[in-house]
Amino acid sequence: MLGGKDMRKTVVELFAGVGGFRVGLEKSSGEWDFVWANQWEPLRKAQDAYKCYVHHFGESERHVNVDINEIDKKSIPDHNLLVGGFPCQDYSVASTGAKGIQGKKGVLWWNIFEILKAKNPAFVLLENVDRLLKSPSSQRGRDFGIMLSCLKELGYGVEWRVINAAEYGLPQRRRRVFIFAFRNDTKYYNDYKNLNFRECIHSKGFFYSQFPISDEDGLSNQCRLDYKNIIEVSNQFSFKFMNSGVMINGYIYTESVQADYNGKYGLLRNILEGNVDSIYYLNGELGDWKYMKGAKKIERVSKTGHKYIFSEGKIAFPDPIDKPSRTMLTSEASKNRSTHIVNDPHTGKMRKLTPLECERLNGFPDNWTDTGMSERFRYFCMGNALIVNLVELMGKKLNKIIDYEE
């Protein structure tokens, strides 16, 4: 018991999708109790991701298919770990007179902020695209600075790391930033605040034990969040965040680090199925695919009449299967430049990846999304999902952290 809270492994999963955080944490062998989960797909009548979630985890009043913006945050059950992957949006804030500070409507970060204010969980684990650290282009680092300022205001320390799954033995080059926050009345915070910044990142922090890095010092940067309020941060803050970092009591330290992995590397070949249905093979489309994947320079005209050259580089065609795959996108089901095309090792013919293979690239059990949704949406879900193997590894560390709190 700490800070008046029972330190059981109770979890709330936000923006749950098809359950990536839950699959990963349950694979970490901890006794995790998911007390509440929310999944809502805006602008879609068929809530297929939610249906997939309840197919695997059961119909329950704990599993809520309602727009998070409409939910009373105080009604969410108490929990000690909040998890979620959310979009990189415009987090800017403004003063709206009597309403005080207010972020843009529909921006999901502010829902996380309101839940943290209402429920005050001991630990938070979030996932986002790595461009969050550089957004927006007009004021580099502002959005992540706003997030850190919010977490500081609520009494949390923070550690973050950009992790490329392929650099730690997984078969997809998928780069995402993971953000771990810890409340300042935990034993973990009390120990962490006494470390120097280098120890936090290179030897004793949250990410190092499962995702080791080179011992060499990288380029670094530091600053202090010394602002009157979040409006000042929104208007003035600009900072070069690197791929790892720490924020303790408003002091920010960030460093560029390199993965140091000595195990076996994951290959696209290893997740491929045998006896794939003929519908996945290319039929008379070779020229189209070669053009889309090839380098090109095209003269275009802007809306104002200005002529310019649009150019893009070549993408390997077909995708090499003796390397990790490229990052899978939500457009994987469609005929476009980013869609993976492989030379099937069993038939020697070129084909697309199957939905099951896409699930394997993200570490889900086979046919996880085969729950009645369209095949196109199965691809979409995997393009949106995180890699559950990474969460499994983080779960092993979280097990130890929460056990230590009791």
Side-chain angles (χ1 to χ4, degrees):
M1 196 76 128
L2 184 70
K5 293 213 174 200
D6 182 351
M7 290 304 292
R8 291 176 300 165
K9 293 169 186 169
T10 48
V11 189
V12 159
E13 185 175 18
L14 300 179
F15 326 116
V18 296
F21 265 106
R22 185 163 183 169
V23 174
L25 286 174
E26 290 186 348
K27 286 176 69 176
S28 74
S29 72
E31 301 271 335
W32 300 101
D33 179 10
F34 282 75
V35 297
W36 196 81
N38 179 259
Q39 167 57 25
W40 172 256
E41 190 72 33
L43 307 177
R44 274 186 64 87
K45 186 175 181 180
Q47 295 290 310
D48 287 315
Y50 174 76
K51 290 176 182 176
C52 178
Y53 192 95
V54 299
H55 174 85
H56 292 290
F57 302 119
E59 293 274 2
S60 169
E61 62 182 14
R62 294 179 168 193
H63 304 152
V64 179
N65 183 218
V66 177
D67 184 348
I68 191 71
N69 292 289
E70 307 302 322
I71 290 172
D72 176 6
K73 308 307 187 282
K74 292 180 181 178
S75 72
I76 296 171
D78 290 343
H79 54 283
N80 288 314
L81 175 63
L82 180 73
V83 299
F86 62 108
C88 180
Q89 298 171 289
D90 183 349
Y91 303 156
S92 61
V93 298
S95 176
T96 58
K99 292 183 179 179
I101 295 172
Q102 194 168 56
K104 291 191 176 183
K105 187 176 180 181
V107 174
L108 298 179
W109 165 251
W110 300 114
N111 287 284
I112 296 173
F113 183 53
E114 292 301 321
I115 292 169
L116 293 177
K117 279 202 292 187
K119 307 310 298 187
N120 197 30
F123 302 103
V124 185
L125 182 60
L126 304 172
E127 179 254 12
N128 209 306
V129 293
D130 60 338
R131 74 170 180 275
L132 168 65
L133 301 180
K134 299 179 181 179
S135 295
S137 58
S138 59
Q139 192 181 338
R140 292 292 191 190
R142 182 203 69 191
D143 289 350
F144 192 51
I146 289 171
M147 284 182 58
L148 292 179
S149 184
C150 290
L151 289 165
K152 170 181 173 282
E153 177 184 306
L154 297 176
Y156 288 89
V158 182
E159 184 183 344
W160 72 88
R161 173 87 76 83
V162 175
I163 298 175
N164 182 345
E167 293 179 342
Y168 291 98
L170 297 171
Q172 183 184 176
R173 297 197 300 271
R174 196 173 186 86
R175 185 180 287 107
R176 293 292 185 268
V177 60
F178 287 88
I179 302 154
F180 178 58
F182 37 98
R183 207 176 61 215
N184 63 12
D185 65 343
T186 58
K187 292 180 184 177
Y188 185 83
Y189 181 98
N190 191 57
D191 291 346
Y192 199 97
K193 71 179 182 180
N194 294 319
L195 303 174
N196 62 49
F197 287 137
R198 193 179 192 285
E199 287 177 319
C200 294
I201 292 173
H202 283 269
S203 60
K204 296 180 180 179
F206 177 73
F207 294 103
Y208 179 81
S209 63
Q210 301 295 343
F211 306 100
I213 55 174
S214 167
D215 193 47
E216 295 181 11
D217 293 330
L219 294 173
S220 63
N221 200 5
Q222 53 188 307
C223 71
R224 186 177 180 186
L225 277 172
D226 193 13
Y227 297 85
K228 292 179 182 176
N229 52 43
I230 294 174
I231 291 177
E232 277 199 0
V233 177
S234 184
N235 292 338
Q236 301 174 22
F237 185 83
S238 181
F239 183 71
K240 186 176 181 179
F241 288 106
M242 302 195 184
N243 65 358
S244 72
V246 177
M247 190 275 291
I248 293 288
N249 196 28
Y251 289 92
I252 295 173
Y253 174 82
T254 184
E255 184 180 335
S256 178
V257 300
Q258 298 290 328
D260 184 19
Y261 176 74
N262 296 314
K264 289 181 66 176
Y265 282 90
L267 308 177
L268 179 54
R269 173 190 293 276
N270 295 341
I271 61 92
L272 297 180
E273 293 187 77
N275 301 315
V276 170
D277 194 291
S278 61
I279 63 171
Y280 299 103
Y281 285 87
L282 305 189
N283 295 309
E285 310 165 76
L286 202 56
D288 293 347
W289 287 102
K290 282 183 177 179
Y291 175 77
M292 285 189 292
K293 301 281 188 176
K296 53 187 75 72
K297 292 187 177 181
I298 305 168
E299 185 177 273
R300 290 184 176 174
V301 180
S302 70
K303 292 179 180 179
T304 60
H306 171 70
K307 290 184 178 180
Y308 67 98
I309 300 297
F310 168 78
S311 62
E312 57 187 8
K314 182 180 179 181
I315 292 180
F317 179 68
D319 285 89
I321 62 174
D322 289 322
K323 295 180 179 180
S325 79
R326 292 176 293 106
T327 303
M328 181 171 37
L329 305 180
T330 54
S331 57
E332 185 69 28
S334 62
K335 184 178 178 180
N336 72 68
R337 176 178 165 84
S338 65
T339 301
H340 291 77
I341 301 295
V342 297
N343 203 357
D344 189 292
H346 301 283
T347 65
K349 298 177 181 179
M350 283 195 276
R351 65 171 178 85
K352 303 172 187 177
L353 297 182
T354 67
L356 184 149
E357 289 167 342
C358 293
E359 291 166 344
R360 289 176 177 177
L361 282 178
N362 281 339
F364 283 85
D366 286 0
N367 291 311
W368 183 261
T369 57
D370 188 12
T371 55
M373 69 179 74
S374 70
E375 187 167 272
R376 188 178 189 86
F377 200 67
R378 291 183 68 186
Y379 284 110
F380 180 88
C381 286
M382 287 300 101
N384 245 352
L386 47 68
I387 294 183
V388 299
N389 314 68
L390 301 181
V391 177
E392 179 184 2
L393 292 171
M394 292 177 206
K396 294 179 187 296
K397 179 70 173 180
L398 281 165
N399 273 313
K400 294 178 181 178
I401 289 172
I402 294 179
D403 285 345
Y404 175 62
E405 297 291 332
E406 294 180 348

